[in-house]
Amino acid sequence: MPHRYSADDSRRRCLKACENCKRRKERCNGVLPCGRCISRRVEHECRFTNGPMPQPQEEQSTHFELAESTPHTMGPEQAIDQVLNVPNGHIEHHRERVQSSVAPVPQFTRLIRDSKGKYMFIGDSANLSFLQNIRRLVEASIGTCAFTEDPLRYMMVEDAPPEQKHWLDFHTSGPVDKPSLPEATRLISQYMLATNCVLDLFDESELLAYLPRWLEGGSEGPEPYSPIYYLILAIGAQTSSDDKDDVAELYFNYGRYLTALLYMEEPSLPSVQSHILIATYMLGGARRNAAFIQLGTAARAAHALGLHKREVSDLFAGAERRTRERTWKVLRVLDSFMSSSLGRPYSTSETRDTTAKDNYSAAANLCAIFEHIETLVYAKRMVSTEVVQQISKEHRYWTARFHEGLKEDGISPEDYLPGGHPNIGLIHLKEAYYWSIILLTRPFLIEYVSIQIENRRMLTARSEQTVGRPSNQTLVDACVDSAVRTVNLLNILHSYRNIPKRLPFIVNSIFIAGMVAGIAFLGDLDRSFPLVKALQDAQAILRLFSLHDTLAKRHLVILEYLQMACDTYVERRDRQKMDGHRRTIGSIFGVIHEHENVSRGMSAAIPDVGTTSSPHVSVAEPPEGFNQPNPPQPHQSGTTAFDPNFQSEQGTSESPWVSEQSQSISLTGAPNDLLLNDFDAYNDQVLEFSPRTLWFDAYEENNPLWRLQGFFESSAATDQSVPQL
């Protein structure tokens, strides 16, 4: 008797079978992994050929898991699809399902190849995630270009260590000769200059006082502080304006060997300090993943010693307690930098009250602000009025006590040091402050630019509600203004000849500022901010470091590609505006050069002389030699806005976020008492907006890396949703 099929037994024919089922000539249900491979317990061998991926099972979780292995023969798009285990065609369906329910946005995994081809995790706050969002917006605005088709866009560029003997080979080769006293003194001074505020581990006077004794030490065995001295000398040689890279690598490898020999198994203060120095050297050498590992080792050792608890440090004597507190603060600074720039979880967590009146540290308090941005915004992928007001209140408190906190950090408030050197410690602190503002507000800038591009694409009339409400506009202006101020702050480096050739913190900040300036062009914000000058100055600063820093060289290439994309956008925008004016003028007075084009065999529409206005008159391009009016410069605030797809003009929008007259919370310090007493009263009213969920993954469907989607979660006006890109 034939089998009677029910509705549950009905199945669809799968479009693509896995390689195992093809080879065994078995039925495949088309999912990954398929049912046959699961029953045979060979899920890890379930593979599909290049092409559209199969549809996942309905019962699978919305949190996508990593595959156990990924073929390196695939292209970047197919490899990422294989790792994410989700088909491109179903991402949009998944997005609509998440938007329909007010549920937390699922965590997507972001992977990017390192220099060796391995996949590394990159989070939402990472610079590379921001860069991918900018590429998406540029491609949506002007199409493909050198910036969007960068061959290294899927790579995490890092520098390889010089081809010298491995640091473990010092076990057989013997110790490294110590430098002379004048040379060691100069390298220590260079170390203090380059790492001011970042590595406040030691006092220069203490290092120089013990230096002769260390240099005169015998060769019976390594002294307890030999690893620290060798690593300090390595960083000094690495940042020196002279060509001392070989000497720096030699000192670094030997100092790393001594660290493994003396401090690997038992945690101690020198162990934490040595691993911090190793991580700093690797950061300067553009080896961020290796530095991240060393930082984790230092963090674990610090927790084992109880450095994360102030009450534990208070049990020790004065000098020991101060050393423990300084070591923990430096660890927090490096951890904040690495976590924010790579988008990875923090290795440390602050248990102290960084806003206390006693022993207030501006660096420690700023690290707490960074941590709050990461945990309250990027980790939750949610932003609301309360969160922005809370973090902005912390910013205002920080600016009010800025000068007071410089004393605890040992930083001079002057722009130049007594020897004529720029105060790099003060620069580090200020640029980190601007970076924290950019990190908080850049989702609003991306959302703003996305809406602008979508409005141009949909050919709809703009309104103030569509472009952005006053609260959003203020946060957008805050992001762009901080980028411009970062570039202006770092322009001081041009006036100094012997600048340290490797400053990873400054290179990071100027790259972020350049990216913000570039994306702001796509939102026509060049009418309110000097973006042309900011983007050019950012490239000039990176050019100073690109001769020796691989990462700075890579960042310079990216900004140069972005500069060309911005020039293309501005040229098209101004040309469309000029053509619109010509159509209006030609409809009234006629155009003589159209008759010349007709005589050359070109078809042109001749307007009726009795018509006073004709919106459909097409004006051909002027012949060669025709003197065209100069298009308005993008950095002039007096030019009117023009959308490439519209013939109507829009009034200019001002940037009210920072005014020179009312900047009472600026870094110049003025009425601190007023700010401390009533800093809650400063313009919280402009931050009233509906809570929203930020989907940070935004790219193209054929490239599911780093998608970003913002939509409103308002209870009253939910019909103003962000357009789908």
Side-chain angles (χ1 to χ4, degrees):
M1 182 175 180
H3 177 70
R4 181 175 298 175
Y5 289 93
S6 62
D8 296 336
D9 295 330
S10 62
R11 67 177 182 89
R12 295 176 297 176
R13 179 183 179 88
C14 81
L15 300 178
K16 187 180 293 293
C18 71
E19 293 299 322
N20 288 340
C21 294
K22 283 183 180 179
R23 185 176 65 255
R24 298 170 62 89
K25 292 182 171 52
E26 295 179 343
R27 290 182 178 179
C28 182
N29 58 2
V31 300
L32 183 65
C34 68
R36 293 287 184 180
C37 292
I38 293 177
S39 62
R40 295 174 52 236
R41 299 182 179 179
V42 289
E43 300 92 338
H44 60 283
E45 297 180 1
C46 188
R47 296 283 186 274
F48 288 83
T49 56
N50 294 341
M53 293 294 297
Q55 181 177 358
Q57 300 181 19
E58 294 297 331
E59 64 271 16
Q60 288 181 342
S61 172
T62 57
H63 295 267
F64 305 121
E65 299 178 357
L66 293 178
E68 294 186 6
S69 61
T70 302
H72 291 276
T73 58
M74 293 184 179
E77 296 87 350
Q78 293 83 3
I80 295 299
D81 290 343
Q82 177 79 5
V83 172
L84 290 181
N85 196 9
V86 60
N88 294 333
H90 295 274
I91 292 180
E92 192 68 27
H93 169 70
H94 178 72
R95 178 195 303 172
E96 295 175 357
R97 182 174 59 185
V98 172
Q99 287 185 346
S100 61
S101 60
V102 190
V105 179
Q107 298 290 331
F108 287 90
T109 301
R110 288 147 200 82
L111 298 178
I112 192 169
R113 292 183 185 271
D114 63 359
S115 56
K116 296 182 180 179
K118 298 180 181 179
Y119 285 106
M120 296 294 168
F121 174 81
I122 295 297
D124 289 321
S125 65
N127 301 339
L128 295 178
S129 296
F130 186 37
L131 178 61
Q132 290 295 72
N133 284 318
I134 296 177
R135 285 198 178 101
R136 174 190 63 85
L137 294 175
V138 170
E139 185 172 0
S141 181
I142 67 173
T144 58
C145 59
F147 178 71
T148 60
E149 299 299 319
D150 187 356
L152 297 179
R153 63 188 180 276
Y154 299 110
M155 297 291 296
M156 184 177 183
V157 176
E158 290 197 318
D159 198 3
E163 295 183 358
Q164 294 183 355
K165 63 180 181 180
H166 196 270
W167 58 274
L168 289 176
D169 296 338
F170 286 103
H171 179 69
T172 58
S173 61
V176 173
D177 295 336
K178 298 177 181 179
S180 62
L181 181 60
E183 178 67 13
T185 302
R186 195 184 70 81
L187 292 180
I188 290 177
S189 299
Q190 184 70 21
Y191 159 83
M192 299 299 298
L193 173 65
T195 61
N196 192 2
C197 176
V198 177
L199 286 185
D200 187 26
L201 286 174
F202 316 101
D203 289 331
E204 185 176 4
S205 59
E206 296 178 357
L207 291 175
L208 296 177
Y210 189 76
L211 179 62
R213 178 182 172 184
W214 176 74
L215 293 175
E216 295 174 359
S219 59
E220 297 81 9
E223 299 182 7
Y225 291 98
S226 289
I228 293 177
Y229 268 107
Y230 274 113
L231 293 173
I232 289 176
L233 296 178
I235 296 175
Q238 182 192 44
T239 59
S240 176
S241 57
D242 301 332
D243 189 8
K244 294 183 176 295
D245 291 345
D246 294 338
V247 177
E249 194 69 18
L250 181 64
Y251 288 159
F252 170 72
N253 286 331
Y254 190 62
R256 189 178 180 184
Y257 164 74
L258 293 180
T259 300
L261 183 65
L262 299 177
Y263 305 135
M264 181 59 70
E265 296 184 357
E266 296 183 0
S268 62
L269 275 177
S271 174
V272 179
Q273 294 168 345
S274 297
H275 283 93
I276 287 176
L277 293 172
I278 292 174
T280 304
Y281 183 90
M282 290 180 170
L283 275 179
R287 297 157 62 182
R288 290 169 288 179
N289 286 320
F292 188 78
I293 295 175
Q294 296 296 326
L295 182 65
T297 303
R300 295 297 97 188
H303 285 100
L305 297 175
L307 299 185
H308 59 294
K309 295 288 187 179
R310 181 185 292 273
E311 53 268 23
V312 176
S313 299
D314 292 339
L315 299 176
F316 295 86
E320 180 77 7
R321 184 191 64 80
R322 176 169 174 78
T323 302
R324 293 172 66 92
E325 290 296 304
R326 294 175 69 171
T327 304
W328 175 254
K329 182 179 66 175
V330 171
L331 192 61
R332 286 283 297 167
V333 170
L334 287 178
D335 195 20
S336 299
F337 174 79
M338 297 291 292
S339 299
S340 299
S341 60
L342 296 178
R344 295 172 181 171
Y346 270 70
S347 301
T348 61
S349 181
E350 188 61 87
T351 61
R352 296 165 173 79
D353 182 12
T354 58
T355 62
K357 295 183 178 180
D358 298 333
N359 301 322
Y360 175 77
S361 170
N365 193 15
L366 192 58
C367 290
I369 295 177
F370 271 99
E371 184 179 7
H372 293 164
I373 295 174
E374 290 288 336
T375 56
L376 298 179
V377 176
Y378 286 92
K380 295 184 178 180
R381 294 190 169 192
M382 295 285 295
V383 62
S384 62
T385 305
E386 292 76 12
V387 171
V388 176
Q389 286 182 347
Q390 174 186 342
I391 298 177
S392 64
K393 184 187 301 182
E394 295 178 11
H395 276 109
R396 295 194 297 272
Y397 184 86
W398 185 87
T399 56
R401 302 192 63 183
F402 172 70
H403 284 82
E404 178 185 350
L406 293 179
K407 299 178 181 179
E408 180 67 19
D409 297 326
I411 301 175
S412 173
E414 303 297 332
D415 293 335
Y416 290 91
L417 299 177
H421 304 289
N423 192 349
I424 297 181
L426 186 63
I427 293 176
H428 277 144
L429 203 56
K430 288 183 177 181
E431 55 89 6
Y433 160 73
Y434 292 131
W435 181 24
S436 66
I437 297 177
I438 293 175
L439 200 63
L440 175 64
T441 57
R442 82 183 189 192
F444 297 94
L445 176 62
I446 294 176
E447 184 186 55
Y448 175 85
V449 175
S450 300
I451 294 176
Q452 293 278 11
I453 295 175
E454 186 67 17
N455 287 341
R456 292 194 288 265
R457 178 184 298 176
M458 300 298 294
L459 298 178
T460 57
R462 295 184 182 181
S463 62
E464 292 297 328
Q465 288 77 16
T466 304
V467 174
R469 289 164 290 180
S471 60
N472 282 3
Q473 188 66 48
T474 302
L475 297 174
V476 170
D477 292 342
C479 186
V480 181
D481 183 85
S482 297
V484 173
R485 289 181 181 273
T486 298
V487 176
N488 295 337
L489 171 68
L490 299 180
N491 276 333
I492 193 177
L493 301 177
H494 289 289
S495 60
Y496 181 60
R497 293 183 178 180
N498 298 324
I499 181 177
K501 61 184 180 182
R502 289 183 176 91
L503 295 173
F505 282 65
I506 290 179
V507 169
N508 174 79
S509 291
I510 199 64
F511 177 56
I512 294 173
M515 288 194 296
V516 171
I519 191 179
F521 272 102
L522 305 182
D524 295 334
L525 294 173
D526 51 314
R527 304 187 310 267
S528 304
F529 297 93
L531 299 182
V532 173
K533 183 178 183 301
L535 193 53
Q536 292 176 351
D537 289 347
Q539 298 175 55
I541 296 172
L542 285 177
R543 202 168 285 113
L544 293 175
F545 300 98
S546 61
L547 298 177
H548 307 281
D549 191 338
T550 302
L551 198 57
K553 185 177 181 179
R554 169 61 180 160
H555 290 168
L556 176 60
V557 173
I558 293 175
L559 290 191
E560 288 175 346
Y561 286 158
L562 183 57
Q563 175 76 69
M564 292 187 293
C566 293
D567 293 343
T568 301
Y569 170 77
V570 172
E571 180 182 358
R572 292 181 182 179
R573 182 188 66 184
D574 294 342
R575 181 181 297 275
Q576 291 285 348
K577 181 176 182 178
M578 184 171 56
D579 290 345
H581 291 325
R582 287 178 176 176
R583 292 188 185 96
T584 305
I585 296 172
S587 64
I588 300 176
F589 299 101
V591 280
I592 189 173
H593 62 270
E594 283 199 358
H595 299 283
E596 299 176 2
N597 293 335
V598 171
S599 65
R600 295 174 185 174
M602 301 178 62
S603 61
I606 303 177
D608 189 0
V609 295
T611 305
T612 58
S613 62
S614 176
H616 302 290
V617 174
S618 60
V619 181
E621 290 294 326
E624 292 188 22
F626 182 78
N627 294 328
Q628 302 182 13
N630 294 327
Q633 297 299 323
H635 64 276
Q636 294 177 354
S637 60
T639 58
T640 57
F642 180 77
D643 189 88
N645 296 322
F646 302 101
Q647 296 182 11
S648 60
E649 295 184 6
Q650 175 188 357
T652 59
S653 60
E654 299 180 356
S655 174
W657 182 62
V658 176
S659 61
E660 298 296 335
Q661 292 82 7
S662 61
Q663 193 184 7
S664 60
I665 61 172
S666 67
L667 300 182
T668 54
N672 290 346
D673 295 337
L674 175 61
L675 287 171
L676 286 175
N677 294 332
D678 193 18
F679 61 87
D680 293 338
Y682 282 84
N683 65 9
D684 275 343
Q685 64 272 13
V686 301
L687 299 177
E688 296 178 0
F689 55 87
S690 301
R692 64 195 62 187
T693 300
L694 294 181
W695 196 327
F696 291 88
D697 307 83
Y699 208 39
E700 294 299 328
E701 281 192 5
N702 59 358
N703 219 347
L705 272 178
W706 304 304
R707 293 188 168 270
L708 179 147
Q709 180 65 37
F711 61 90
F712 302 124
E713 194 183 328
S714 174
S715 59
T718 56
D719 48 347
Q720 292 183 356
S721 59
V722 177
Q724 299 287 334
L725 293 182

